[in-house]
PDB file of all heavy atoms in Angstrom:
ATOM      1  N   LEU A   1     -18.235 -34.832  94.079  1.00  0.00           N
ATOM      2  CA  LEU A   1     -18.646 -33.982  95.195  1.00  0.00           C
ATOM      3  C   LEU A   1     -18.152 -34.555  96.521  1.00  0.00           C
ATOM      4  O   LEU A   1     -17.695 -33.804  97.386  1.00  0.00           O
ATOM      5  CB  LEU A   1     -20.167 -33.821  95.201  1.00  0.00           C
ATOM      6  CG  LEU A   1     -20.758 -32.833  96.188  1.00  0.00           C
ATOM      7  CD1 LEU A   1     -20.144 -31.451  96.009  1.00  0.00           C
ATOM      8  CD2 LEU A   1     -22.250 -32.762  96.011  1.00  0.00           C
ATOM      9  N   VAL A   2     -18.204 -35.847  96.663  1.00  0.00           N
ATOM     10  CA  VAL A   2     -17.683 -36.493  97.879  1.00  0.00           C
ATOM     11  C   VAL A   2     -16.171 -36.287  97.969  1.00  0.00           C
ATOM     12  O   VAL A   2     -15.631 -36.007  99.036  1.00  0.00           O
ATOM     13  CB  VAL A   2     -18.054 -37.994  97.898  1.00  0.00           C
ATOM     14  CG1 VAL A   2     -17.312 -38.727  98.993  1.00  0.00           C
ATOM     15  CG2 VAL A   2     -19.544 -38.170  98.047  1.00  0.00           C
ATOM     16  N   SER A   3     -15.498 -36.387  96.825  1.00  0.00           N
ATOM     17  CA  SER A   3     -14.060 -36.136  96.798  1.00  0.00           C
ATOM     18  C   SER A   3     -13.742 -34.703  97.188  1.00  0.00           C
ATOM     19  O   SER A   3     -12.774 -34.439  97.916  1.00  0.00           O
ATOM     20  CB  SER A   3     -13.520 -36.450  95.406  1.00  0.00           C
ATOM     21  OG  SER A   3     -12.160 -36.130  95.319  1.00  0.00           O
ATOM     22  N   PHE A   4     -14.558 -33.768  96.711  1.00  0.00           N
ATOM     23  CA  PHE A   4     -14.379 -32.362  97.070  1.00  0.00           C
ATOM     24  C   PHE A   4     -14.576 -32.154  98.567  1.00  0.00           C
ATOM     25  O   PHE A   4     -13.803 -31.437  99.208  1.00  0.00           O
ATOM     26  CB  PHE A   4     -15.356 -31.495  96.266  1.00  0.00           C
ATOM     27  CG  PHE A   4     -15.315 -30.043  96.620  1.00  0.00           C
ATOM     28  CD1 PHE A   4     -14.260 -29.262  96.226  1.00  0.00           C
ATOM     29  CD2 PHE A   4     -16.351 -29.482  97.354  1.00  0.00           C
ATOM     30  CE1 PHE A   4     -14.212 -27.911  96.559  1.00  0.00           C
ATOM     31  CE2 PHE A   4     -16.327 -28.146  97.683  1.00  0.00           C
ATOM     32  CZ  PHE A   4     -15.247 -27.355  97.285  1.00  0.00           C
ATOM     33  N   LEU A   5     -15.606 -32.759  99.134  1.00  0.00           N
ATOM     34  CA  LEU A   5     -15.855 -32.627 100.575  1.00  0.00           C
ATOM     35  C   LEU A   5     -14.708 -33.237 101.388  1.00  0.00           C
ATOM     36  O   LEU A   5     -14.307 -32.689 102.409  1.00  0.00           O
ATOM     37  CB  LEU A   5     -17.176 -33.285 100.959  1.00  0.00           C
ATOM     38  CG  LEU A   5     -18.447 -32.553 100.565  1.00  0.00           C
ATOM     39  CD1 LEU A   5     -19.660 -33.417 100.859  1.00  0.00           C
ATOM     40  CD2 LEU A   5     -18.546 -31.231 101.279  1.00  0.00           C
ATOM     41  N   SER A   6     -14.195 -34.378 100.933  1.00  0.00           N
ATOM     42  CA  SER A   6     -13.116 -35.011 101.686  1.00  0.00           C
ATOM     43  C   SER A   6     -11.804 -34.241 101.583  1.00  0.00           C
ATOM     44  O   SER A   6     -10.935 -34.399 102.427  1.00  0.00           O
ATOM     45  CB  SER A   6     -12.919 -36.458 101.227  1.00  0.00           C
ATOM     46  OG  SER A   6     -12.474 -36.497  99.901  1.00  0.00           O
ATOM     47  N   SER A   7     -11.670 -33.407 100.552  1.00  0.00           N
ATOM     48  CA  SER A   7     -10.468 -32.571 100.498  1.00  0.00           C
ATOM     49  C   SER A   7     -10.596 -31.364 101.436  1.00  0.00           C
ATOM     50  O   SER A   7      -9.590 -30.850 101.917  1.00  0.00           O
ATOM     51  CB  SER A   7     -10.208 -32.081  99.072  1.00  0.00           C
ATOM     52  OG  SER A   7     -11.204 -31.184  98.647  1.00  0.00           O
ATOM     53  N   GLY A   8     -11.810 -30.921 101.706  1.00  0.00           N
ATOM     54  CA  GLY A   8     -12.006 -29.814 102.640  1.00  0.00           C
ATOM     55  C   GLY A   8     -12.079 -30.258 104.081  1.00  0.00           C
ATOM     56  O   GLY A   8     -11.579 -29.584 104.984  1.00  0.00           O
ATOM     57  N   TYR A   9     -12.730 -31.377 104.314  1.00  0.00           N
ATOM     58  CA  TYR A   9     -12.847 -31.951 105.663  1.00  0.00           C
ATOM     59  C   TYR A   9     -12.007 -33.224 105.675  1.00  0.00           C
ATOM     60  O   TYR A   9     -12.427 -34.272 105.178  1.00  0.00           O
ATOM     61  CB  TYR A   9     -14.291 -32.279 106.002  1.00  0.00           C
ATOM     62  CG  TYR A   9     -15.216 -31.083 105.946  1.00  0.00           C
ATOM     63  CD1 TYR A   9     -16.228 -30.988 104.999  1.00  0.00           C
ATOM     64  CD2 TYR A   9     -15.080 -30.038 106.847  1.00  0.00           C
ATOM     65  CE1 TYR A   9     -17.063 -29.891 104.952  1.00  0.00           C
ATOM     66  CE2 TYR A   9     -15.907 -28.940 106.808  1.00  0.00           C
ATOM     67  CZ  TYR A   9     -16.900 -28.872 105.858  1.00  0.00           C
ATOM     68  OH  TYR A   9     -17.729 -27.784 105.798  1.00  0.00           O
ATOM     69  N   LEU A  10     -10.825 -33.146 106.239  1.00  0.00           N
ATOM     70  CA  LEU A  10      -9.854 -34.234 106.130  1.00  0.00           C
ATOM     71  C   LEU A  10     -10.301 -35.525 106.799  1.00  0.00           C
ATOM     72  O   LEU A  10      -9.857 -36.607 106.421  1.00  0.00           O
ATOM     73  CB  LEU A  10      -8.506 -33.786 106.694  1.00  0.00           C
ATOM     74  CG  LEU A  10      -7.888 -32.576 105.977  1.00  0.00           C
ATOM     75  CD1 LEU A  10      -6.593 -32.178 106.665  1.00  0.00           C
ATOM     76  CD2 LEU A  10      -7.677 -32.877 104.513  1.00  0.00           C
ATOM     77  N   VAL A  11     -11.193 -35.462 107.773  1.00  0.00           N
ATOM     78  CA  VAL A  11     -11.663 -36.678 108.461  1.00  0.00           C
ATOM     79  C   VAL A  11     -12.901 -37.269 107.804  1.00  0.00           C
ATOM     80  O   VAL A  11     -13.361 -38.340 108.203  1.00  0.00           O
ATOM     81  CB  VAL A  11     -11.955 -36.388 109.946  1.00  0.00           C
ATOM     82  CG1 VAL A  11     -10.683 -36.017 110.690  1.00  0.00           C
ATOM     83  CG2 VAL A  11     -13.000 -35.309 110.094  1.00  0.00           C
ATOM     84  N   TYR A  12     -13.440 -36.600 106.773  1.00  0.00           N
ATOM     85  CA  TYR A  12     -14.673 -37.057 106.120  1.00  0.00           C
ATOM     86  C   TYR A  12     -14.361 -38.155 105.111  1.00  0.00           C
ATOM     87  O   TYR A  12     -13.440 -38.059 104.318  1.00  0.00           O
ATOM     88  CB  TYR A  12     -15.344 -35.885 105.405  1.00  0.00           C
ATOM     89  CG  TYR A  12     -16.506 -36.291 104.530  1.00  0.00           C
ATOM     90  CD1 TYR A  12     -17.733 -36.574 105.091  1.00  0.00           C
ATOM     91  CD2 TYR A  12     -16.370 -36.381 103.156  1.00  0.00           C
ATOM     92  CE1 TYR A  12     -18.791 -36.956 104.311  1.00  0.00           C
ATOM     93  CE2 TYR A  12     -17.430 -36.747 102.358  1.00  0.00           C
ATOM     94  CZ  TYR A  12     -18.644 -37.038 102.943  1.00  0.00           C
ATOM     95  OH  TYR A  12     -19.696 -37.411 102.166  1.00  0.00           O
ATOM     96  N   ASP A  13     -15.126 -39.233 105.179  1.00  0.00           N
ATOM     97  CA  ASP A  13     -15.140 -40.268 104.139  1.00  0.00           C
ATOM     98  C   ASP A  13     -16.489 -40.976 104.219  1.00  0.00           C
ATOM     99  O   ASP A  13     -17.338 -40.621 105.021  1.00  0.00           O
ATOM    100  CB  ASP A  13     -13.967 -41.244 104.272  1.00  0.00           C
ATOM    101  CG  ASP A  13     -13.964 -42.006 105.579  1.00  0.00           C
ATOM    102  OD1 ASP A  13     -14.847 -41.761 106.423  1.00  0.00           O
ATOM    103  OD2 ASP A  13     -13.079 -42.861 105.773  1.00  0.00           O
ATOM    104  N   LEU A  14     -16.704 -41.940 103.357  1.00  0.00           N
ATOM    105  CA  LEU A  14     -18.003 -42.621 103.298  1.00  0.00           C
ATOM    106  C   LEU A  14     -18.070 -43.815 104.236  1.00  0.00           C
ATOM    107  O   LEU A  14     -18.404 -44.924 103.844  1.00  0.00           O
ATOM    108  CB  LEU A  14     -18.319 -43.032 101.852  1.00  0.00           C
ATOM    109  CG  LEU A  14     -18.633 -41.885 100.913  1.00  0.00           C
ATOM    110  CD1 LEU A  14     -18.907 -42.404  99.515  1.00  0.00           C
ATOM    111  CD2 LEU A  14     -19.800 -41.062 101.412  1.00  0.00           C
ATOM    112  N   SER A  15     -17.747 -43.596 105.484  1.00  0.00           N
ATOM    113  CA  SER A  15     -17.964 -44.581 106.547  1.00  0.00           C
ATOM    114  C   SER A  15     -18.847 -43.920 107.596  1.00  0.00           C
ATOM    115  O   SER A  15     -19.060 -42.709 107.564  1.00  0.00           O
ATOM    116  CB  SER A  15     -16.620 -44.988 107.163  1.00  0.00           C
ATOM    117  OG  SER A  15     -16.036 -43.895 107.841  1.00  0.00           O
ATOM    118  N   ALA A  16     -19.360 -44.697 108.509  1.00  0.00           N
ATOM    119  CA  ALA A  16     -20.250 -44.132 109.530  1.00  0.00           C
ATOM    120  C   ALA A  16     -19.527 -43.069 110.355  1.00  0.00           C
ATOM    121  O   ALA A  16     -20.060 -41.982 110.604  1.00  0.00           O
ATOM    122  CB  ALA A  16     -20.773 -45.242 110.437  1.00  0.00           C
ATOM    123  N   THR A  17     -18.299 -43.356 110.766  1.00  0.00           N
ATOM    124  CA  THR A  17     -17.533 -42.393 111.556  1.00  0.00           C
ATOM    125  C   THR A  17     -17.181 -41.169 110.732  1.00  0.00           C
ATOM    126  O   THR A  17     -17.287 -40.034 111.204  1.00  0.00           O
ATOM    127  CB  THR A  17     -16.243 -43.058 112.078  1.00  0.00           C
ATOM    128  OG1 THR A  17     -16.589 -44.233 112.792  1.00  0.00           O
ATOM    129  CG2 THR A  17     -15.481 -42.105 112.978  1.00  0.00           C
ATOM    130  N   GLY A  18     -16.753 -41.388 109.488  1.00  0.00           N
ATOM    131  CA  GLY A  18     -16.391 -40.269 108.622  1.00  0.00           C
ATOM    132  C   GLY A  18     -17.569 -39.359 108.313  1.00  0.00           C
ATOM    133  O   GLY A  18     -17.432 -38.133 108.298  1.00  0.00           O
ATOM    134  N   ILE A  19     -18.735 -39.948 108.080  1.00  0.00           N
ATOM    135  CA  ILE A  19     -19.931 -39.134 107.806  1.00  0.00           C
ATOM    136  C   ILE A  19     -20.319 -38.349 109.059  1.00  0.00           C
ATOM    137  O   ILE A  19     -20.637 -37.162 108.980  1.00  0.00           O
ATOM    138  CB  ILE A  19     -21.095 -40.026 107.321  1.00  0.00           C
ATOM    139  CG1 ILE A  19     -20.782 -40.580 105.936  1.00  0.00           C
ATOM    140  CG2 ILE A  19     -22.395 -39.246 107.304  1.00  0.00           C
ATOM    141  CD1 ILE A  19     -21.757 -41.622 105.449  1.00  0.00           C
ATOM    142  N   LEU A  20     -20.294 -38.980 110.228  1.00  0.00           N
ATOM    143  CA  LEU A  20     -20.629 -38.285 111.468  1.00  0.00           C
ATOM    144  C   LEU A  20     -19.671 -37.125 111.734  1.00  0.00           C
ATOM    145  O   LEU A  20     -20.115 -36.016 112.068  1.00  0.00           O
ATOM    146  CB  LEU A  20     -20.609 -39.260 112.655  1.00  0.00           C
ATOM    147  CG  LEU A  20     -20.923 -38.643 114.013  1.00  0.00           C
ATOM    148  CD1 LEU A  20     -22.341 -38.105 114.045  1.00  0.00           C
ATOM    149  CD2 LEU A  20     -20.704 -39.658 115.101  1.00  0.00           C
ATOM    150  N   LEU A  21     -18.385 -37.353 111.549  1.00  0.00           N
ATOM    151  CA  LEU A  21     -17.418 -36.283 111.744  1.00  0.00           C
ATOM    152  C   LEU A  21     -17.603 -35.174 110.698  1.00  0.00           C
ATOM    153  O   LEU A  21     -17.474 -33.988 111.007  1.00  0.00           O
ATOM    154  CB  LEU A  21     -15.994 -36.830 111.701  1.00  0.00           C
ATOM    155  CG  LEU A  21     -15.587 -37.695 112.890  1.00  0.00           C
ATOM    156  CD1 LEU A  21     -14.230 -38.330 112.644  1.00  0.00           C
ATOM    157  CD2 LEU A  21     -15.590 -36.886 114.167  1.00  0.00           C
ATOM    158  N   GLY A  22     -17.925 -35.564 109.468  1.00  0.00           N
ATOM    159  CA  GLY A  22     -18.180 -34.571 108.427  1.00  0.00           C
ATOM    160  C   GLY A  22     -19.399 -33.733 108.740  1.00  0.00           C
ATOM    161  O   GLY A  22     -19.405 -32.522 108.511  1.00  0.00           O
ATOM    162  N   VAL A  23     -20.440 -34.352 109.256  1.00  0.00           N
ATOM    163  CA  VAL A  23     -21.655 -33.620 109.624  1.00  0.00           C
ATOM    164  C   VAL A  23     -21.365 -32.658 110.776  1.00  0.00           C
ATOM    165  O   VAL A  23     -21.792 -31.500 110.758  1.00  0.00           O
ATOM    166  CB  VAL A  23     -22.789 -34.596 109.980  1.00  0.00           C
ATOM    167  CG1 VAL A  23     -23.927 -33.893 110.691  1.00  0.00           C
ATOM    168  CG2 VAL A  23     -23.296 -35.296 108.733  1.00  0.00           C
ATOM    169  N   LEU A  24     -20.614 -33.101 111.779  1.00  0.00           N
ATOM    170  CA  LEU A  24     -20.276 -32.237 112.906  1.00  0.00           C
ATOM    171  C   LEU A  24     -19.395 -31.068 112.467  1.00  0.00           C
ATOM    172  O   LEU A  24     -19.634 -29.912 112.856  1.00  0.00           O
ATOM    173  CB  LEU A  24     -19.581 -33.033 114.002  1.00  0.00           C
ATOM    174  CG  LEU A  24     -20.449 -34.049 114.728  1.00  0.00           C
ATOM    175  CD1 LEU A  24     -19.615 -34.881 115.691  1.00  0.00           C
ATOM    176  CD2 LEU A  24     -21.581 -33.363 115.451  1.00  0.00           C
ATOM    177  N   LEU A  25     -18.389 -31.348 111.643  1.00  0.00           N
ATOM    178  CA  LEU A  25     -17.540 -30.271 111.145  1.00  0.00           C
ATOM    179  C   LEU A  25     -18.312 -29.346 110.206  1.00  0.00           C
ATOM    180  O   LEU A  25     -18.075 -28.138 110.187  1.00  0.00           O
ATOM    181  CB  LEU A  25     -16.318 -30.843 110.436  1.00  0.00           C
ATOM    182  CG  LEU A  25     -15.255 -31.458 111.336  1.00  0.00           C
ATOM    183  CD1 LEU A  25     -14.163 -32.120 110.511  1.00  0.00           C
ATOM    184  CD2 LEU A  25     -14.677 -30.415 112.265  1.00  0.00           C
ATOM    185  N   GLY A  26     -19.247 -29.917 109.440  1.00  0.00           N
ATOM    186  CA  GLY A  26     -20.076 -29.097 108.565  1.00  0.00           C
ATOM    187  C   GLY A  26     -20.954 -28.152 109.355  1.00  0.00           C
ATOM    188  O   GLY A  26     -21.135 -26.995 108.964  1.00  0.00           O
ATOM    189  N   PHE A  27     -21.494 -28.629 110.464  1.00  0.00           N
ATOM    190  CA  PHE A  27     -22.307 -27.752 111.313  1.00  0.00           C
ATOM    191  C   PHE A  27     -21.452 -26.624 111.881  1.00  0.00           C
ATOM    192  O   PHE A  27     -21.852 -25.452 111.864  1.00  0.00           O
ATOM    193  CB  PHE A  27     -22.954 -28.529 112.459  1.00  0.00           C
ATOM    194  CG  PHE A  27     -23.801 -27.656 113.340  1.00  0.00           C
ATOM    195  CD1 PHE A  27     -25.094 -27.334 112.968  1.00  0.00           C
ATOM    196  CD2 PHE A  27     -23.289 -27.123 114.506  1.00  0.00           C
ATOM    197  CE1 PHE A  27     -25.875 -26.504 113.753  1.00  0.00           C
ATOM    198  CE2 PHE A  27     -24.060 -26.290 115.304  1.00  0.00           C
ATOM    199  CZ  PHE A  27     -25.354 -25.974 114.918  1.00  0.00           C
ATOM    200  N   LEU A  28     -20.279 -26.963 112.360  1.00  0.00           N
ATOM    201  CA  LEU A  28     -19.381 -25.953 112.911  1.00  0.00           C
ATOM    202  C   LEU A  28     -18.987 -24.934 111.835  1.00  0.00           C
ATOM    203  O   LEU A  28     -18.996 -23.725 112.074  1.00  0.00           O
ATOM    204  CB  LEU A  28     -18.143 -26.611 113.507  1.00  0.00           C
ATOM    205  CG  LEU A  28     -17.110 -25.682 114.126  1.00  0.00           C
ATOM    206  CD1 LEU A  28     -17.696 -24.964 115.330  1.00  0.00           C
ATOM    207  CD2 LEU A  28     -15.886 -26.469 114.517  1.00  0.00           C
TER     208      LEU A  28
END
């Protein structure tokens, strides 16, 4: 599931910055 999310949100990964960017892009 994390791999699937990182393929949709290119800046998302399991780091603090990646999770924050994933959450912001997910909200948008």
